[in-house]
Amino acid sequence: MSHARALHLSRRGLLAAGGAVGLGAALAACGDDKGEGSGKAAATGKSGPWSFKDDRGTTVKLDRTPASIVAFTGVGAALHDYGVRVKGVFGPTTTKDGKPDVQAGDMDVSKVTVLGNAWGQFNIEKYAALAPDVLISTMFDDAGTLWYVPEESAKKIGALAPSVGISVYDRPLTEPLQRMWDLAASLGADMKAPKVTAAKKRFEEAAARLRAAAKARPEIKVMAGSASDQLFYVSGTNLSVDLEYFKALGVNFVEPPESAKKQGGGWYESLSWENVDKYQADIIMMDDRTSAIQPADITKPTWKKLPAVKAGQVIPRSPEPILSYDKCVPLLTNLAEALEKAKKVR
């Protein structure tokens, strides 16, 4: 989200796992009215009554497995990896040049109806036209707020179909990964498919590798950052699903004090570019979302002087991970490799 958006939602701490975001122009909504296949994985032929208890404690019950699914883009991408197709998405889906956004994963974005491509965008008329059976999104607070569903139109949207919320707030990555696994299974995905089981095994192996790398290199300090034109944001680990998990595996992170994270809803500390060297780190993980300025495009002299930057020890981070095992493997392996190769530069 933009800095202004972060201020508006500071009570929710919604820099989504600590990434701040750029102040660039909002992406234009785009898409067509074609759905990407059935909502359930055809291979299973699952039918009959359907129910799912989400992370708000709400149980959604339907007469049949949802066939018309609308989801936040990252959720749609995760379900896609399990063979479940969604008809509509909302959230960052395409970039300015029409290519798939990083949060769209492997979805064919030309075959889903895009209800909104930026914060605050949600075309209710298009949503209604899809005759949705269920809407699914993540949640970045403990109040049950559905991510990227505009607050001002939430009641209208909620009246059209029941919703499911998967929490990515203040818990390790493995928990929402399991919840998305459970959700996909309930929607008819074949969780014993070789592709699915192989991805889970790769994730477990990648976790073991990261744990070993962290144990071998405890002296290496890692900082999670995000860049906007005016500010640099340093994330703490206590609310972010990815950072909480990496920390549990032994990774040594820069931790801004709680008092410094108040303006960021407890997620992050905001620094001026003049003070970007407040914390010293050997590796910097940078927000890979299109809403944030990417490392190659940062021109601030103070950034270029950072030891980790000069040493080429900057790697991407996904503050809003696509919650499939397949997409989370690189998050672990990239950090493990960085730790294994890192030079201590502090």
Side-chain angles (χ1 to χ4, degrees):
M1 79 191 73
S2 69
H3 181 52
R5 189 189 314 156
L7 290 176
H8 178 62
L9 298 174
S10 59
R11 68 178 179 82
R12 290 156 58 183
L14 291 177
L15 265 186
V21 296
L23 300 172
L27 301 174
C30 62
D32 56 34
D33 292 327
K34 298 177 182 178
E36 190 182 20
S38 169
K40 64 180 180 179
T44 66
K46 185 173 180 179
S47 61
W50 179 84
S51 69
F52 187 82
K53 185 176 181 179
D54 75 358
D55 290 338
R56 298 170 298 186
T58 300
T59 299
V60 177
K61 296 181 179 181
L62 299 174
D63 292 337
R64 57 184 174 83
T65 302
S68 182
I69 300 171
V70 173
F72 170 66
T73 302
V75 171
L79 292 175
H80 178 277
D81 286 349
Y82 292 127
V84 178
R85 304 293 183 258
V86 302
K87 286 190 175 181
V89 294
F90 53 94
T93 307
T94 58
T95 59
K96 292 177 182 178
D97 56 5
K99 295 180 180 179
D101 188 273
V102 65
Q103 295 191 63
D106 293 333
M107 280 195 302
D108 184 343
V109 297
S110 70
K111 293 183 179 179
V112 293
T113 298
V114 181
L115 304 176
N117 201 53
W119 185 262
Q121 295 179 356
F122 194 109
N123 190 313
I124 299 177
E125 290 73 23
K126 279 189 175 183
Y127 179 55
L130 292 175
D133 293 321
V134 67
L135 178 148
I136 309 171
S137 191
T138 48
M139 302 182 297
F140 281 90
D141 62 19
D142 56 4
T145 307
L146 296 173
W147 191 225
Y148 267 80
V149 173
E151 288 188 79
E152 62 273 15
S153 52
K155 287 186 178 180
K156 289 183 179 179
I157 294 168
L160 294 171
S163 62
V164 167
I166 300 297
S167 180
V168 286
Y169 176 75
D170 195 18
R171 62 200 64 206
L173 178 61
T174 46
E175 291 187 21
L177 269 175
Q178 182 61 50
R179 294 294 286 143
M180 193 62 70
W181 175 283
D182 296 340
L183 177 60
S186 79
L187 292 169
D190 180 2
M191 309 314 286
K192 294 182 179 180
K195 179 182 177 181
V196 172
T197 57
K200 190 171 185 179
K201 182 179 180 181
R202 290 198 312 274
F203 178 88
E204 293 165 351
E205 293 170 345
R209 179 182 176 184
L210 180 54
R211 186 188 296 276
K215 184 176 181 180
R217 304 300 305 278
E219 77 281 7
I220 299 299
K221 198 84 168 180
V222 180
M223 179 168 67
S226 186
S228 71
D229 183 58
Q230 299 295 322
L231 296 169
F232 182 82
Y233 305 84
V234 180
S235 298
T237 62
N238 60 323
L239 297 179
S240 304
V241 292
D242 62 329
L243 301 184
E244 279 199 13
Y245 184 53
F246 300 157
K247 183 180 180 180
L249 293 175
V251 178
N252 182 12
F253 279 100
V254 166
E255 293 282 4
E258 291 301 316
S259 59
K261 295 187 294 180
K262 283 185 178 180
Q263 283 192 323
W267 293 87
Y268 59 90
E269 178 180 1
S270 304
L271 297 175
S272 67
W273 283 102
E274 289 75 16
N275 296 316
V276 73
D277 60 352
K278 178 178 179 179
Y279 300 108
Q280 297 299 310
D282 302 295
I283 296 172
I284 302 177
M285 303 176 68
M286 289 294 289
D287 187 344
D288 69 354
R289 293 174 295 179
T290 50
S291 53
I293 299 176
Q294 296 307 298
D297 299 320
I298 299 175
T299 59
K300 308 293 185 181
T302 49
W303 163 260
K304 295 181 178 181
K305 290 179 181 178
L306 293 178
V309 175
K310 292 169 69 174
Q313 295 179 172
V314 178
I315 64 172
R317 176 200 170 209
S318 299
E320 295 181 53
I322 293 173
L323 297 172
S324 72
Y325 287 102
D326 179 71
K327 294 300 181 291
C328 286
V329 169
L331 311 185
L332 297 167
T333 55
N334 289 346
L335 182 52
E337 183 177 3
L339 286 171
E340 292 162 356
K341 296 180 177 180
K343 296 179 182 178
K344 186 174 175 61
V345 295
R346 291 176 294 124

